[in-house]
Amino acid sequence: MKNREIARLFHATADILEILDANRFRINAYRRAARVVEDLTVDIAELAASGELTELPGIGQGTADAIVDYLETGEMFGYESVRKEIPPKLAELLEIPGLGPKTVGMLWRELNVRTLRQLKRALRSRKILELPGMGPKKVLKIQGGVRAYESRSGRTLLGAALPVADRIIELLRGVKGVKDVSLAGSARRWRSTIGDLDILVTGSDPKAVIEAFVGMDGVVDVLASGTTKASVRMDDALQIDLRVIAAAEWGAALMYFTGSKEHNVRLRGIARKKGLKLSEYGLFSGDDRVAAKTEKAVYRKLGMPWIAPELREDRGEVEAALDRSLPTLVTSEDIRGDLHHHTSWSDGFASIEEVARAAKRRGYEYIIISDHSQSLSIANGLSEERLLEQGEEIDRINKKLRGFRILKGTEADIKSDGSVDYPDEILSGLDVVIASIHSGFEQSQEQITGRIISAMENPNVDIIGHPTGRLIERREPYAVDLDAVMRAAAETGTALEINCHDERVDLNDIHARRAVEMGVMISLGTDSHDPSQGWMMDIGVHTARRAWLAPQSILNTLDRRALLKHLSRSGPAR
Ligand code: DGT
Ligand code: CA
Ligand code: CA
Ligand code: ZN
């Protein structure tokens, strides 16, 4: 389908028109068309073929012609012509977080900024401060964006890689003679971003495995292909390394290629002290292989129990394993509900009932509907009246559901003065209140931290959503003093969220571990805007495992009664 590509070209055209300070209506027409095409669930080529394009809301004759033009020639005339009106590298500057087309256009016209280098120079000049809207704050923000842009590591979000991994693992399981297939590397350790995917296979016919792997759908480049290993690049640029392992060496190889490198270094040190040698082929005493077939056997011969892959980061797990003090980690089966979910009442895509039924199918006992609050108008936040109406709708649906309960919640905005976006009498009528920051990201550390702490001091607030506001690779966290937030969370009995959405993972593993050490409860919420995103709970659960968390530290492991009891007990006396 060419839908995505066409939407991208429309957005790019709108960006360039905005840089050129073109007519507002023309810009909006392209933006609207881009969104319409993005949201289509059918192949746009079919609509074009049947002449139905202009029947779509937001697609006029001009944009319809552009779509047909692109489908027929592979180029979009409108885009190609506006592109030539700006310097060739100018549009790339739009990828810098915090720098929009209006500002790029102004910097180009007023200060002749055409490249990243020229932008960086301009940001250090005094002249820039004389431009309309360009105070020191704005300049600092763009400088921060440039830093983030330059340090982009090119890593892939785990949430984008896992569906690809699942598909490949499925395919490999079907190859003749294949016995075991496993992820390895950072994906098996559930890091939130990965450099590449590593997959290990054992089977009787390595040649068939390699052939199936390099020949699968989506491979655009075979980087290497040998008798027992191969590397490919996929159409989304993801690299995948495959190794076929002898069954007798499976455990040792899985350990080696799961890493982390730092964990492996520690294990090799322990082996050495015992007069043994550890490699990807096994644990050896001289020429004798003392263990290799399973991970468990290798760890046992090293004098310790098996260590979960999420812990293998050399953050104390080897010591804990040696003195038998590894934590009992939370698992997906422990999770009884999702604590953060949007619906079409605000900016989600599904109805409350659809969300609830999907959650029930997932095996949950409850779900919290937490739509946006009134001041977040871009996300269609709920007025007090609509929130109350939503509550009535939830009551109605709850009557129809057996063994499952929809809880009434909100993701209320923490406003720039630290107040929460609904009055107390509204908040106290809900089962669960999440409070989150969605604006005023540029405030000082004192202001942001103060805002979050004031919100936590409101006895109706149960959970702070995505506490740092970061978007992986796209937006730096706001300036928040997390230690102060964690202290206040412990004092007020407010939970902090691990937002499980793949581009947030916020709190991250290190923060969550620290929060729990300070006595804070963690809440896992997927922040789903559609039930199809509900699987991201796995990302949250495994991030919690990377944080060494046991079920007792996680709100969603409580059953509904215990959860509600906990929520009304926590916080200052009420
Ligand atoms: P990534 O792909 O950057 O997200 O991180 P990993 O951990 O998946 O690293 P990758 O793909 O380079 O290698 C997979 C595993 O193989 C790694 O976690 C540990 C092991 N490994 C790779 N190279 C070395 C090495 O030079 N020494 C040791 N001890 N282990 C290595
Ligand atoms: Ca890797
Ligand atoms: Ca690799
Ligand atoms: Zn939010």
Side-chain angles (χ1 to χ4, degrees):
M1 291 212 313
K2 303 278 187 212
N3 300 25
R4 266 170 167 252
E5 186 59 17
I6 289 171
R8 195 185 64 78
L9 286 171
F10 280 156
H11 273 305
T13 309
D15 285 342
I16 295 172
L17 289 171
E18 208 165 345
I19 289 175
L20 291 166
D21 206 14
N23 176 301
R24 212 53 256 162
F25 292 108
R26 220 174 134 208
I27 298 170
N28 288 341
Y30 278 107
R31 293 248 186 260
R32 177 125 197 261
R35 277 193 299 270
V36 170
V37 174
E38 249 162 23
D39 291 346
L40 275 184
T41 49
V42 295
D43 189 342
I44 195 157
E46 285 174 24
L47 298 179
S50 58
E52 289 172 296
L53 283 176
T54 49
E55 285 167 28
L56 292 170
I59 303 287
Q61 198 56 53
T63 40
D65 287 348
I67 293 169
V68 173
D69 181 33
Y70 179 77
L71 290 170
E72 283 172 359
T73 66
E75 279 198 354
M76 194 179 277
F77 178 75
Y79 169 72
E80 298 299 329
S81 67
V82 294
R83 199 164 67 104
K84 295 194 187 86
E85 293 182 38
I86 62 167
K89 286 181 171 288
L90 193 61
E92 285 172 29
L93 300 182
L94 295 175
E95 287 168 36
I96 295 169
L99 191 58
K102 270 204 162 61
T103 310
V104 168
M106 178 174 72
L107 293 174
W108 170 42
R109 276 186 298 277
E110 302 296 327
L111 301 179
N112 199 22
V113 167
R114 296 154 172 264
T115 64
L116 181 61
R117 258 186 57 196
Q118 290 167 338
L119 171 68
K120 282 161 68 176
R121 199 172 322 135
L123 287 168
R124 287 193 308 266
S125 76
R126 300 229 47 104
K127 268 186 298 181
I128 196 166
L129 293 171
E130 291 160 19
L131 299 177
M134 292 299 281
K137 264 191 185 161
K138 179 88 194 258
V139 169
L140 282 171
K141 186 175 167 208
I142 300 174
Q143 282 174 340
V146 168
R147 265 197 309 280
Y149 175 73
E150 288 188 312
S151 65
R152 273 200 308 199
S153 53
R155 295 176 67 86
T156 303
L157 289 181
L158 181 64
L162 282 180
V164 180
D166 285 347
R167 212 180 65 222
I168 297 174
I169 289 173
E170 179 81 21
L171 174 107
L172 293 173
R173 286 224 162 93
V175 174
K176 167 169 72 82
V178 164
K179 211 174 114 242
D180 290 306
V181 185
S182 177
L183 265 183
S186 49
R188 184 169 180 237
R189 304 195 314 275
W190 289 82
R191 278 194 59 178
S192 52
T193 65
I194 61 161
D196 65 5
L197 271 178
D198 303 279
I199 298 178
L200 302 191
V201 174
T202 154
S204 54
D205 190 351
K207 200 164 157 244
V209 174
I210 301 283
E211 271 172 21
F213 177 71
V214 301
M216 68 193 170
D217 273 356
V219 170
V220 289
D221 206 359
V222 177
L223 307 169
S225 176
T227 51
T228 59
K229 59 184 182 184
S231 285
V232 297
R233 190 171 296 289
M234 305 295 280
D235 42 16
D236 57 1
L238 183 64
Q239 183 182 321
I240 304 167
D241 294 346
L242 174 82
R243 286 182 179 76
V244 186
I245 308 293
E249 294 161 359
W250 177 249
L254 198 50
M255 278 172 72
Y256 181 86
F257 292 109
T258 296
S260 67
K261 215 181 262 182
E262 293 74 14
H263 177 83
N264 290 352
V265 168
R266 291 297 314 281
L267 293 187
R268 281 202 296 274
I270 303 229
R272 214 173 303 121
K273 275 199 221 125
K274 293 181 178 293
L276 303 171
K277 195 174 161 297
L278 178 64
S279 74
E280 61 180 285
Y281 305 107
L283 183 63
F284 293 87
S285 167
D287 288 339
D288 285 345
R289 184 150 67 191
V290 298
K293 201 160 191 289
T294 65
E295 287 192 330
K296 210 169 159 193
V298 177
Y299 277 111
R300 190 171 57 230
K301 291 283 182 193
L302 289 171
M304 58 185 99
W306 181 80
I307 299 177
E310 296 93 328
L311 299 182
R312 301 182 194 172
E313 297 289 349
D314 192 23
R315 293 179 185 160
E317 74 282 5
V318 175
E319 292 76 2
L322 286 172
D323 59 296
R324 302 292 185 275
S325 61
L326 284 171
T328 305
L329 298 176
V330 62
T331 70
S332 296
E333 284 72 51
D334 294 322
I335 301 300
R336 297 170 187 253
D338 190 339
L339 299 189
H340 189 157
H341 209 301
H342 297 274
T343 72
S344 52
W345 283 68
S346 66
D347 59 348
F349 300 106
S351 69
I352 299 171
E353 182 156 0
E354 285 167 321
V355 168
R357 293 206 182 272
K360 187 165 185 243
R361 272 197 301 280
R362 199 171 283 280
Y364 290 157
E365 295 170 18
Y366 53 81
I367 189 157
I368 292 176
I369 298 298
S370 51
D371 275 313
H372 290 291
S373 62
Q374 48 195 0
S375 71
L376 207 63
S377 47
I378 46 163
N380 193 23
L382 272 59
S383 65
E384 291 174 31
E385 274 155 35
R386 289 184 65 228
L387 183 63
L388 294 174
E389 256 175 64
Q390 185 182 52
E392 289 164 15
E393 169 84 357
I394 288 175
D395 288 337
R396 262 194 305 278
I397 301 169
N398 266 335
K399 287 209 184 89
K400 293 198 274 181
L401 297 170
R402 287 193 182 283
F404 186 87
R405 193 93 184 154
I406 308 167
L407 300 179
K408 296 173 197 168
T410 176
E411 182 184 14
D413 234 33
I414 303 174
K415 298 204 280 193
S416 16
D417 62 358
S419 63
V420 180
D421 198 13
Y422 290 115
D424 287 338
E425 62 270 24
I426 294 276
L427 294 176
S428 60
L430 297 169
D431 296 314
V432 187
V433 173
I434 306 173
S436 319
I437 285 190
H438 294 111
S439 61
F441 296 109
E442 69 294 338
Q443 285 181 340
S444 69
Q445 170 160 321
E446 215 185 330
Q447 285 172 304
I448 297 250
T449 309
R451 263 166 95 184
I452 299 180
I453 293 177
S454 327
M456 289 193 287
E457 283 166 352
N458 181 327
N460 292 309
V461 170
D462 303 302
I463 299 166
I464 297 297
H466 44 74
T468 80
R470 69 131 172 204
L471 293 177
I472 298 175
E473 311 249 312
R474 286 208 288 123
R475 187 172 74 205
E476 294 295 302
Y478 35 65
V480 54
D481 178 351
L482 269 183
D483 264 13
V485 166
M486 289 172 190
R487 263 195 311 277
E491 277 163 22
T492 56
T494 314
L496 297 180
E497 182 179 70
I498 292 180
N499 189 295
C500 313
H501 202 278
D502 67 337
E503 48 182 27
R504 290 194 181 268
V505 191
D506 177 15
L507 300 176
N508 68 22
D509 48 0
I510 291 179
H511 295 151
R513 186 173 177 185
R514 185 178 179 80
V516 168
E517 281 167 2
M518 290 173 73
V520 178
M521 283 292 272
I522 294 295
S523 162
L524 298 181
T526 62
D527 205 348
S528 289
H529 286 65
D530 187 83
S532 63
Q533 297 166 333
W535 71 271
M536 291 199 191
M537 181 59 75
D538 289 344
I539 294 183
V541 168
H542 290 276
T543 301
R545 290 166 64 88
R546 288 178 60 81
W548 291 52
L549 302 193
Q552 302 86 276
S553 301
I554 295 176
L555 272 185
N556 342 21
T557 64
L558 298 174
D559 65 30
R560 179 170 52 92
R561 268 168 207 289
L563 175 73
L564 291 174
K565 193 162 161 232
H566 176 91
L567 292 174
S568 50
R569 189 185 52 204
S570 63
R574 40 176 105 169

